[in-house]
């Protein structure tokens, strides 16, 4: 199966976050490989993350979809959670779209909306590059080419696409209202627990990176609410069609 993935030569991949695995249904699926069969990858322990690589075709071109990801809060190192990115790079993938579920911080956003990531705050206290001494430039992690492409796709589809800075925290607990106020002061527009290690790894490998957050909820303390993972997954699932439409138009 790995051989077939290599032979298909996909140059673009999409990593699907919490509840967003349904995006694959919008593409013509050719075959699937569970993470457990891919050297270096392991099954996800989080509900809402299927844990498989899917080879699909879009506009006649091969496309690799990673349904589910591993997180630092599962007790893994940043090197471990980015094994999928290195695998993709190894089989020739050079462009990657990282998607996630995130809490909305900026007032002008709305729960259920989409945010294109323009930059990030790495507040996870670690990096997949730990142990090396390569001082990679991170001044444009999320490529302007992708951003332009996504903008045009949203316009073409008549969709609203917010943009902003994604702050990554370790989790797995959600934030306190005080932490959200701190993040807002620091310039964060959305908050989550993933994506940043993968973005750093992909960038360090010279890949062209895009990031899209599905704003599944308002961040803690911004509305009278308590946060539940099941609701995050459900909102993500319900909005997967919108995300798929944007991605299809952008690819
Ligand atoms: N905080 C952190 N991670 C998240 C959130 C949130 O509010 N929503 C979805 N993932």
């Amino acid at each position: 199966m790995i051989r077939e993935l290599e032979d298909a030569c996909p140059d673009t991949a999409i990593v699907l976050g919490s509840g967003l695995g349904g995006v694959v249904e919008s593409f013509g699926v050719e075959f699937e490989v569970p993470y457990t069969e891919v050297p270096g990858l392991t099954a996800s322990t989080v509900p809402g993350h299927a844990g498989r690589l899917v080879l699909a075709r879009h506009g006649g071109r091969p496309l690799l979809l990673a349904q589910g990801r591993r997180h630092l809060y599962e007790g893994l190192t940043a090197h471990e959670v980015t094994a999928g990115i290195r695998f993709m790079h190894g089989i020739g993938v050079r462009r990657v779209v990282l998607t996630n579920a995130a809490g909305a911080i900026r007032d002008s956003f709305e729960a259920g909306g989409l945010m294109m990531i323009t930059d990030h705050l790495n507040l996870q206290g670690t990096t997949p590059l730990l142990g090396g001494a390569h001082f990679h430039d991170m001044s444009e992690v999320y490529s302007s080419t992708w951003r332009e492409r996504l903008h045009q796709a949203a316009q073409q589809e008549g969709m609203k696409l917010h943009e902003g800075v994604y702050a990554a925290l370790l989790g797995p607990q959600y934030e306190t209202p005080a932490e959200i106020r701190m993040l807002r002061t620091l310039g964060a527009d959305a908050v989550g627990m993933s994506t940043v290690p993968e973005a750093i790894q992909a960038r360090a490998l010279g890949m062209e990176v895009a990031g899209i957050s599905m704003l599944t909820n308002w961040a803690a303390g911004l509305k009278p609410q308590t946060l539940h993972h099941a609701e995050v997954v459900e909102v993500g699932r319900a909005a997967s069609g919108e995300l798929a439409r944007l991605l299809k138009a952008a690819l």
Side-chain angles (χ1 to χ4, degrees):
M1 276 306 200
I2 304 296
R3 195 54 203 274
E4 285 177 47
L5 276 183
E6 286 172 356
D7 290 348
C9 297
D11 86 324
T12 304
I14 304 175
V15 178
L16 298 165
S18 294
L20 303 175
V23 164
V24 297
E25 286 154 28
S26 302
F27 292 92
V29 172
E30 297 202 338
F31 61 90
E32 304 176 346
V33 186
Y35 287 168
T36 46
E37 288 181 21
V38 182
L41 299 197
T42 43
S44 177
T45 62
V46 190
H49 289 264
R52 56 182 166 247
L53 289 175
V54 175
L55 189 87
R57 211 157 272 277
H58 177 62
R61 294 176 54 167
L63 173 70
L64 188 61
L65 295 141
Q67 227 178 358
R69 59 153 60 87
R70 305 302 312 269
H71 301 82
L72 294 172
Y73 62 68
E74 294 174 73
L76 305 176
T77 64
H79 189 257
E80 285 166 335
V81 301
T82 50
I85 299 294
R86 290 186 299 279
F87 172 78
M88 288 172 182
H89 183 263
I91 64 165
V93 172
R94 294 295 178 265
R95 307 192 309 162
V96 64
V97 185
L98 305 171
T99 71
N100 60 43
I105 296 178
R106 185 186 272 263
D107 288 335
S108 58
F109 291 174
E110 71 284 331
L114 289 170
M115 183 190 89
M116 175 168 74
I117 302 175
T118 54
D119 205 348
H120 71 226
L121 293 170
N122 179 9
L123 302 174
Q124 296 189 308
T126 187
T127 159
L129 309 183
L130 212 58
H134 297 285
F135 304 103
H136 292 280
D137 178 75
M138 291 284 144
S139 43
E140 192 185 296
V141 177
Y142 304 90
S143 96
S144 52
T145 312
W146 261 127
R147 271 149 54 191
E148 185 54 33
R149 211 179 276 143
L150 285 164
H151 257 311
Q152 284 181 1
Q155 215 164 33
Q156 180 189 317
E157 293 295 308
M159 290 173 66
K160 185 160 185 130
L161 181 62
H162 298 294
E163 53 179 78
V165 173
Y166 173 86
L169 270 64
L170 192 55
Q173 72 286 351
Y174 288 115
E175 302 71 37
T176 64
E179 285 165 344
I180 295 302
R181 288 194 297 276
M182 172 191 75
L183 292 176
R184 176 177 272 174
T185 305
L186 294 178
D189 300 303
V191 58
M193 307 172 191
S194 68
T195 304
V196 164
E198 292 148 284
I200 293 171
Q201 177 65 86
R203 197 62 212 109
L205 289 168
M207 293 164 84
E208 208 181 290
V209 181
I212 304 174
S213 291
M214 164 68 61
L215 305 167
T216 51
N217 56 280
W218 281 104
L222 299 181
K223 292 276 165 357
Q225 62 176 2
T226 48
L227 297 175
H228 301 283
H229 179 66
E231 282 175 26
V232 165
V233 170
E234 194 41 51
V235 175
R237 211 163 262 157
S240 283
E242 277 288 282
L243 178 61
R245 193 150 69 87
L246 176 70
L247 290 168
K248 285 176 100 161
L251 290 170

